[in-house]
Amino acid sequence: MSKSPVTDSAAYLEKKRFFNNILTVYGRKPVLEALEDPSTDIYRLHLASSNRSASIMDDIRKLAEKKGAEILYHDRAALSRISKNAKQDQGVAADLVCKKFQSSDDFLADNLGKKFRLLALDGITNPQNLGMIIRSACAGNIDGILLPQQGNAQIDPLVIKASAGTVFRAPILRCEDLAKTLTRFIDKGTLVCGLSSHAPANLKDFSPDAACIYVLGNETDGVSAKVNALCNTSVKIPMNNGVESLNVAVTAALIAFQ
Amino acid sequence: MSKSPVTDSAAYLEKKRFFNNILTVYGRKPVLEALEDPSTDIYRLHLASSNRSASIMDDIRKLAEKKGAEILYHDRAALSRISKNAKQDQGVAADLVCKKFQSSDDFLADNLGKKFRLLALDGITNPQNLGMIIRSACAGNIDGILLPQQGNAQIDPLVIKASAGTVFRAPILRCEDLAKTLTRFIDKGTLVCGLSSHAPANLKDFSPDAACIYVLGNETDGVSAKVNALCNTSVKIPMNNGVESLNVAVTAALIAFQ
C-alpha cells in the first residue's frame, strides 16, 4: 500500500519547515558559546574525526549530548562541506534549531491579514552591522527580518558575536531574491517602506494601517534600484547639524523601537 | 603701562575657549578627508620636514592654505609630540577648529536654567561605538556629549571614520573627571539618568522637567560604581525575546531620537 500523496506532501512540508529552522554554526568558541546559552536547541553536532582531544571539545560534546543532539563524525572534506568554511570551522559545526527562523513564504502564509512589521536587508555586507541589526530587531518591535541568502553578510561567528548571541532566537525570514519576495508581500497588501530625506512623513509619526516592511540598504550604496522601485511608501528621520545619514544599524534600531 | 588684570583675564578666558575648540587629527587620509569637508575650519597644519613629496601631501597643503591655515614644519620628534601618535601620523597633523567643542564647565555656565539634554560617556573604549554615538547624537536631539579625557577611546582616525566625519561638528564637552563634572551639574539642578531594567519609567515616556544627562557605560562592565552612585533618576528600555541589553551606540541613538 502506498502512502497517500497528501500525507507525503504534509510530511514533506513539515520537514522543509524544520530545515528552515536550522542554522549551522562553526568554530570551537562560537559553537561552545551557542551551546552554553540555555535557550538554544541543537539537532546535530558534526565533528572531524581527525580532531585531537582538547578540553573545549569535551565541553562541546557534553553540552551537545545534554541537549539531546545526534553526534556525527566526518572526514575533514565532508566537515567542510557542512560548515561551508574549512578555514574557520576548526573541525566543529553544529546544526542549531532556531525556532523563529523560517522561510519568508511560510511567514507570509501564516500572517495573512496581520499588521506585522518587518525589516528587509538589501546588501548589509558588514558583519558588525548585521549582528547589531539582528540584536536590535530581536529586542524591539519587529516581527521578522527578511534576510536574502545573496547580497548580505552570512551569519558567521562575527555576526553572532555582534548580535550578542541573539541571532539564535531572532525571527529570521529566509528568502532567495529580495525583489521577488517583496513582490509577493505587496500582492497581499503589504507596504514596502524606504527611508528618504524627501519623504513627507516622519518615522516617529508613521503608523500605517497595513503590514509594513522597512527596507535597509547597503552601507555605502543604499537600497538597490530594483528594490527601491518596489517601495510604495517612505519615511524620513529628520537630522540636525547637517548630518546626512545614520549608521544602518542605528536606523534599524530607531525603526524597531519606534 | 601694564594691561588691566580684567582684560588679561578676559583675553585668557577667550584663548582658553579657543583652544577647547581645537581637535588635532593626524594621518594623511584622515587629514585630507577632514579638510575636504567644506564645513571644517583649520587653525594650523603641522608637517614633518622630512616628508617626501607626494600628491596627497600637495592636496592637503592646498586645502589648508585655501582655508587660511598656518602651515608649520617640524622635525619628526616635534611632530609626534603634536600628533601624540608617531606610529600613525604619517608626518601630518592638523589642528581643526571645532566650534561646538567646549569645556563642560563653559557649557554649564552658558546654559544655566535651560532644559538641555546631554550624553555622558563613562568608559566607551570601542572606537566604532564612540564614532557611532557621536554620529547619532549629532544628528539627534542632544545638546552635548560629555567626553572625559580618561577612560574613553581617543578621537582617532577610527572614531572619525565611524562618526562619518560628524565629529568635527559635534557638540563635544570635554572634561577631566566625569564624577566631579556630574556633581557640578547636579549642584545646578541637572538630572543624571542611568539606564536600568528595574527603572519605573520607560525611556519613551520620560520627559523630565529639568536638564538631564543620560549616562552610557562601558560595553562590558556598564557604568562605573562612582558614576552610578550619582544617578538621581533612571529609565528603562523594554526589550522582547529575552534580550537583556542593547549595543551602547544603539542605546545612545534611542535617547538621541527619543
Side-chain angles (χ1 to χ4, degrees), chain B residues 30-202:
Chain B
V31 168
L32 179 67
E33 287 178 351
L35 295 182
E36 282 172 342
D37 179 339
S39 71
T40 55
D41 284 336
I42 168 170
Y43 172 56
R44 281 177 172 165
L45 177 67
H46 304 278
L47 301 170
S49 36
S50 58
N51 285 341
R52 302 213 187 141
S53 70
S55 75
I56 188 168
M57 296 305 295
D58 296 339
D59 294 343
I60 289 173
R61 247 191 322 261
K62 270 181 217 156
L63 279 165
E65 271 168 14
K66 214 169 142 188
K67 286 177 183 254
E70 184 178 359
I71 302 184
L72 301 173
Y73 292 83
H74 310 268
D75 62 41
R76 218 48 211 77
L79 188 82
S80 32
R81 280 193 297 274
I82 293 167
S83 73
K84 297 197 183 84
N85 195 325
K87 275 194 189 156
Q88 289 176 42
D89 68 28
Q90 303 174 292
V92 189
D95 295 331
L96 302 180
V97 185
C98 301
K99 291 186 201 77
K100 296 197 171 178
F101 279 41
Q102 59 180 316
S103 81
S104 58
D105 289 337
D106 286 341
F107 178 89
L108 181 56
D110 293 349
N111 290 279
L112 282 177
K114 292 189 191 155
K115 259 179 68 176
F116 52 79
R117 301 178 82 230
L118 306 184
L119 297 179
L121 308 189
D122 184 30
I124 308 298
T125 54
N126 177 320
Q128 192 74 26
N129 283 337
L130 179 55
M132 284 176 65
I133 291 171
I134 291 170
R135 184 176 178 184
S136 300
C138 195
N141 303 305
I142 292 295
D143 300 296
I145 304 162
L146 270 177
L147 181 64
Q149 313 269 14
Q150 299 291 323
N152 293 290
Q154 298 303 306
I155 299 178
D156 67 6
L158 286 174
V159 172
I160 294 170
K161 197 176 170 210
S163 86
T166 59
V167 64
F168 309 128
R169 57 187 106 155
I172 303 276
L173 311 182
R174 300 170 187 266
C175 67
E176 294 290 329
D177 181 283
L178 184 57
K180 285 183 190 160
T181 303
L182 290 176
T183 306
R184 286 196 287 275
F185 275 85
I186 292 170
D187 287 347
K188 302 293 181 192
T190 307
L191 292 170
V192 175
C193 181
L195 278 114
S196 159
S197 54
H198 309 297
N202 282 352

Side-chain angles (χ1 to χ4, degrees), chain A residues 100 132 135-136 138-141 166 169 171 204 237-243 245-247 249-250 253-254 257-258, chain B residues 100 132 135-136 138-141 166 169 171 204 237-243 245-247 249-250 253-254 257-258:
Chain A
K100 296 198 172 177
M132 284 176 65
R135 184 177 177 184
S136 300
C138 196
N141 303 306
T166 59
R169 57 187 106 153
K204 243 182 198 169
I237 301 175
M239 286 177 241
N240 294 325
N241 292 309
V243 179
S245 69
L246 295 170
N247 173 288
V250 160
L254 295 181
F257 285 92
Q258 184 204 4
Chain B
K100 296 197 171 178
M132 284 176 65
R135 184 176 178 184
S136 300
C138 195
N141 303 305
T166 59
R169 57 187 106 155
K204 243 181 197 170
I237 300 175
M239 287 177 243
N240 295 325
N241 292 309
V243 179
S245 69
L246 295 169
N247 172 289
V250 160
L254 295 180
F257 286 92
Q258 184 204 4

Side-chain angles (χ1 to χ4, degrees), chain A residues 9 13-14 17-18 22 28 40 43 56 74 93 96 101 103 106 111-112 121 134 149 176 189 197 205 209-210 216 229:
Chain A
S9 162
L13 286 177
E14 200 178 314
R17 279 196 180 230
F18 176 76
I22 296 295
R28 296 180 179 197
T40 55
Y43 172 55
I56 187 169
H74 310 268
L96 302 180
F101 279 42
S103 80
D106 286 342
N111 291 279
L112 282 176
L121 309 190
I134 291 170
Q149 311 270 15
E176 294 290 328
S197 54
D205 311 317
D209 278 331
L216 299 171

Side-chain angles (χ1 to χ4, degrees), chain A:
Chain A
M1 199 178 81
S2 71
K3 285 183 190 173
S4 92
V6 175
T7 316
D8 276 357
S9 162
Y12 169 76
L13 286 177
E14 200 178 314
K15 199 171 161 188
K16 201 173 146 203
R17 279 196 180 230
F18 176 76
F19 281 102
N20 277 328
N21 287 162
I22 296 295
L23 171 68
T24 302
V25 299
Y26 53 82
R28 296 180 179 197
K29 208 159 167 238
V31 168
L32 179 67
E33 287 178 352
L35 295 182
E36 281 171 342
D37 180 339
S39 72
T40 55
D41 284 337
I42 168 169
Y43 172 55
R44 281 177 171 165
L45 177 67
H46 304 278
L47 301 170
S49 36
S50 58
N51 285 341
R52 301 211 187 144
S53 70
S55 75
I56 187 169
M57 296 304 296
D58 296 339
D59 294 343
I60 289 173
R61 248 190 322 260
K62 271 181 216 155
L63 279 166
E65 271 168 13
K66 214 169 143 190
K67 286 177 183 254
E70 186 178 357
I71 301 184
L72 301 172
Y73 291 83
H74 310 268
D75 62 41
R76 218 47 210 77
L79 187 82
S80 32
R81 280 192 299 273
I82 293 166
S83 73
K84 297 197 182 85
N85 196 323
K87 274 192 191 159
Q88 288 176 43
D89 69 27
Q90 303 174 294
V92 188
D95 295 332
L96 302 180
V97 185
C98 301
K99 292 186 202 75
K100 296 198 172 177
F101 279 42
Q102 59 180 316
S103 80
S104 58
D105 289 337
D106 286 342
F107 178 89
L108 180 56
D110 293 350
N111 291 279
L112 282 176
K114 291 188 190 156
K115 258 179 69 177
F116 52 79
R117 302 178 82 230
L118 306 184
L119 297 179
L121 309 190
D122 184 29
I124 308 298
T125 54
N126 177 319
Q128 192 73 25
N129 283 336
L130 179 56
M132 284 176 65
I133 291 171
I134 291 170
R135 184 177 177 184
S136 300
C138 196
N141 303 306
I142 292 294
D143 300 296
I145 305 163
L146 271 177
L147 182 64
Q149 311 270 15
Q150 299 292 322
N152 294 288
Q154 298 302 306
I155 299 179
D156 68 5
L158 285 174
V159 172
I160 295 170
K161 199 177 169 209
S163 85
T166 59
V167 65
F168 309 128
R169 57 187 106 153
I172 303 277
L173 310 182
R174 299 169 188 267
C175 68
E176 294 290 328
D177 181 283
L178 184 57
K180 285 182 191 161
T181 303
L182 290 176
T183 304
R184 287 195 288 275
F185 275 86
I186 291 169
D187 287 346
K188 302 293 181 190
T190 308
L191 293 170
V192 174
C193 181
L195 278 113
S196 159
S197 54
H198 309 297
N202 281 352
L203 171 65
K204 243 182 198 169
D205 311 317
F206 184 67
S207 91
D209 278 331
C212 187
I213 303 175
Y214 298 85
V215 180
L216 299 171
N218 176 266
E219 292 87 348
T220 308
D221 304 325
V223 172
S224 63
K226 218 163 131 187
V227 167
N228 201 40
L230 292 170
C231 290
N232 50 23
T233 185
S234 65
V235 291
K236 70 180 162 201
I237 301 175
M239 286 177 241
N240 294 325
N241 292 309
V243 179
E244 284 170 9
S245 69
L246 295 170
N247 173 288
V248 68
V250 160
T251 305
L254 295 181
I255 296 168
F257 285 92
Q258 184 204 4

